[in-house]
Amino acid sequence: MAQRDDTGRRQTLGTDQAWAALGGDPGLTERISYTGPPGLLAARLPVMDLARATVAACALAAAELAAGRDGGPLRAVRVDDGAVATAFISERHLRIDGRAPSNFAPLSRFWRAGDGWLRTHANYPHHRARLLRALGLPGTAEPADVEAVIAGRRAEEVEDAVYAAGGLAIAARTPEEWSAHPQGAALARHRLLTRELLGAGAPPRALPARAGDPVLPAAGLRVLDLTRVIAGPVATRTLALLGADVLRIDAPQLPESQDAHNDTGFGKRSTALDLGSPSGRASFEALLAEADVVVTGYRPGALDRFGLAPEALAERRPGLVVARLSAWGDDGPWGGRRGFDSVVQVATGIAAIEADGAGTPGALPAQALDHGTGYLLAAAVLRALAEQSRTGGSHLATLALARTARWLVHDLGNKPEPPTHEDASAPSPGYDPDRYLRETDSPVGRLRHALPPVAFDGGPVNWATPPGRCASDAPVWR
């Protein structure tokens, strides 16, 4: 593992690794400058290093695409740790007419099992119902009822039962136990992210003419957003910031939380399509025929029955950039499982590393796997767009929360360290989050929100539009 010998090295190490994984020219990272208060996102693991690196790589990819479209020099990239840390907990800063959204449901938490610890995720009603069904409990069950059942069973036994019922529960493991697990071993065979050609036959596609100020490197590009929760929506929120026309598509039977959309829906439009119906499928195919990018965030194989496997999409729309995100990766015994940041932290040993003195599992100071993977996903799309415009082909980028977790645990630092100040939950000296927050009127009320951390000379400083109501837009391009 790399040594973290000084502040400058720590600032650039992660960026160099992320940029290399993206296939970027290593010389371009010299255009990045770093600033901001120290000690943010304090944890035993180098969370701030991950956050800084993913935002820096994304901003550099945006500046690179802008330079390619302008024919000018690469603009300087600026990374402010304060902006990055604020954005990485954007869902906690969000207020809707002064109201704080609910980020975790009562049944989304740690539980003590008979032989260890378990974490469940039940924010969506269907996941809550499946969890209770797997535990043999009625839909009216309270947390105390769940606690009593789990306490009498082995953690992995509950994990398997809940998975079989279509829910989410993960037994807490140490990093060593995860490395020995078949899924951990499968992940160890992969890089942080992969980029590949789906097919080389498509000619280069001229990027749309750009106009206006500030510089919008993705202006005129059309993005279909089939993602949920945080990582995928953060990526497409970033592409919208950079000028893309992003249309989010949800299934009518699985509506998104409006509170979640209020955080990640900036700059986008949102529609609902039933891809299993003839009319919904026809609308989707019309959108795909003019799309430049498709971003998916469902478990591997879940969309294949609708003809949305990457190869099938590229066959119908040659020259397409497809970006695919999952929790656990594409292969291994868990390749087709659902997952979220909180449970990936538990499986991969992060919760064990961040445990308190009594051994109670802990958590990172942010949903850092989600946010970090989101910025890497956006960066991969931007780099693929730049390459497609030069050399053609259809491009695929593949990322997974568990790959990002492995990067955090094994590659970004030499060993877990204590937080850099006594109380990791207290604000770092010199950090004023209000500097990185704004208020905006929206169709759902007045929003207080975090500003985007992706910054380069001449680039946008805020989104062009606030989030609207989920599924309220027509399924057409602007």
Side-chain angles (χ1 to χ4, degrees):
M1 296 181 184
Q3 296 296 313
R4 297 160 62 198
D5 50 7
D6 56 55
T7 301
R9 177 61 175 159
R10 288 180 60 180
Q11 286 180 329
T12 60
L13 171 64
T15 303
D16 291 344
Q17 292 175 349
W19 191 242
L22 289 161
D25 177 352
L28 298 185
T29 59
E30 296 176 1
R31 297 292 290 164
I32 305 173
S33 62
Y34 302 88
T35 187
L40 301 177
L41 300 181
R44 292 187 175 90
L45 288 166
V47 178
M48 191 64 226
D49 294 356
L50 178 149
R52 181 190 305 115
T54 56
V55 171
C58 184
L60 185 58
E64 179 190 42
L65 181 60
R69 298 186 74 172
D70 288 341
L74 185 76
R75 292 168 173 79
V77 171
R78 304 179 307 281
V79 179
D80 182 334
D81 277 7
V84 172
T86 305
F88 262 61
I89 54 172
S90 60
E91 64 274 15
R92 297 186 210 166
H93 286 296
L94 183 70
R95 297 292 182 272
I96 307 103
D97 289 330
R99 176 184 64 85
S102 174
N103 291 316
F104 281 97
L107 299 188
S108 295
R109 49 168 274 198
F110 283 106
W111 310 87
R112 186 182 286 279
D115 63 344
W117 289 92
L118 179 93
R119 179 145 192 171
T120 55
H121 192 288
N123 284 1
Y124 287 108
H126 57 291
H127 289 155
R128 181 183 187 278
R130 293 167 185 174
L131 169 65
L132 294 176
R133 184 167 63 250
L135 297 177
L137 292 170
T140 56
E142 298 292 333
D145 303 316
V146 175
E147 185 174 37
V149 172
I150 292 177
R153 299 174 66 175
R154 293 175 51 250
E156 289 191 28
E157 176 193 346
V158 177
E159 175 183 276
D160 291 341
V162 175
Y163 167 67
L168 290 129
I170 296 293
R173 294 171 170 84
T174 65
E176 294 75 21
E177 289 169 338
W178 180 244
S179 294
H181 189 280
Q183 189 61 36
L187 286 161
R189 296 192 292 266
H190 295 285
R191 301 175 65 195
L192 171 60
L193 60 92
T194 54
R195 293 184 50 237
E196 58 190 286
L197 279 174
L198 283 171
R205 186 181 299 161
L207 295 171
R210 293 195 306 104
D213 188 33
V215 174
L216 296 175
L221 296 168
R222 292 169 167 171
V223 178
L224 288 174
D225 175 6
L226 286 79
T227 69
R228 292 173 73 81
V229 194
I230 297 178
V234 163
T236 52
R237 179 181 72 181
T238 303
L239 296 174
L241 169 76
L242 299 171
D245 182 4
V246 178
L247 181 62
R248 173 165 170 161
I249 297 175
D250 284 288
Q253 64 272 25
L254 290 175
E256 178 58 293
S257 158
Q258 182 64 52
D259 276 356
H261 187 64
N262 292 340
D263 178 49
T264 58
F266 284 88
K268 311 180 198 177
R269 293 176 299 123
S270 169
T271 194
L273 286 178
D274 181 359
L275 299 183
S277 72
S279 61
R281 186 57 182 269
S283 293
F284 180 84
E285 293 300 322
L287 291 166
L288 178 64
E290 297 183 280
D292 301 289
V293 179
V294 175
V295 185
T296 67
Y298 292 79
R299 58 191 172 87
L303 299 175
D304 290 5
R305 69 185 187 277
F306 300 116
L308 302 184
E311 297 78 8
L313 289 168
E315 183 177 351
R316 302 202 299 282
R317 177 62 168 158
L320 190 69
V321 171
V322 180
R324 182 172 54 176
L325 166 74
S326 66
W328 306 106
D330 289 351
D331 56 358
W334 287 14
R337 290 196 178 192
R338 300 171 179 85
F340 297 95
D341 180 307
S342 59
V343 294
V344 172
Q345 288 189 38
V346 173
T348 58
I350 291 173
I353 292 172
E354 299 294 338
D356 64 17
T360 303
L364 299 178
Q367 300 279 92
L369 306 182
D370 263 332
H371 286 271
T373 306
Y375 289 109
L376 288 175
L377 187 64
V381 168
L382 295 166
R383 294 231 64 248
L385 286 167
E387 292 187 9
Q388 204 286 334
S389 69
R390 294 192 301 266
T391 62
S394 301
H395 294 248
L396 171 65
T398 305
L399 296 89
L401 300 183
R403 289 200 206 180
T404 305
R406 179 176 174 79
W407 181 46
L408 174 64
V409 173
H410 293 282
D411 298 325
L412 275 176
N414 57 353
K415 63 180 180 179
E417 297 181 352
T420 53
H421 53 279
E422 290 185 5
D423 181 1
S425 65
S428 174
Y431 170 56
D432 178 11
D434 288 342
R435 176 183 171 190
Y436 308 104
L437 300 174
R438 291 292 183 273
E439 291 198 355
T440 302
D441 288 320
S442 80
V444 297
R446 187 158 183 83
L447 302 180
R448 187 192 77 173
H449 63 93
L451 287 169
V454 173
F456 56 96
D457 283 355
V461 298
N462 205 346
W463 290 275
T465 60
R469 296 195 178 277
C470 290
S472 62
D473 295 295
V476 295
W477 295 117
R478 285 194 176 109

